[in-house]
Amino acid sequence: KAMNKDQVEGRLDQVKGKVKEVAGKVTGNEALRQEGVVDQAVGKTQATYGDVKENVKDTVKDAADKL
């Protein structure tokens, strides 16, 4: 099943955030590490929003199909 824009962008932000977090840890750059943690949280929120949108859309479609 295809993902919507929010799901895709959110998951990409999570991955980018994890990369920044690890890079920050490896290089001792606390600011970069923190930025990565924040990016992951923002990405998770956006992905969850996209998941909810898909669930609502599916529920509405299922209800309409039963009419």
Side-chain angles (χ1 to χ4, degrees):
K1 181 175 171 178
M3 294 194 307
N4 65 38
K5 178 183 166 194
D6 290 305
Q7 289 171 311
V8 172
E9 288 181 4
R11 285 178 176 80
L12 285 173
D13 285 344
Q14 285 179 289
V15 171
K16 288 189 284 187
K18 188 64 178 176
V19 169
K20 284 182 184 179
E21 180 186 7
V22 170
K25 282 181 182 176
V26 168
T27 62
N29 184 336
E30 183 61 20
L32 183 60
R33 188 190 76 75
Q34 287 291 334
E35 185 179 328
V37 170
V38 170
D39 287 352
Q40 288 177 74
V42 169
K44 183 170 179 60
T45 301
Q46 185 173 10
T48 299
Y49 171 71
D51 293 344
V52 169
K53 274 185 8 185
E54 282 299 307
N55 289 338
V56 168
K57 186 172 84 175
D58 291 345
T59 300
V60 169
K61 184 182 180 310
D62 289 346
D65 288 346
K66 291 179 182 176
L67 294 178

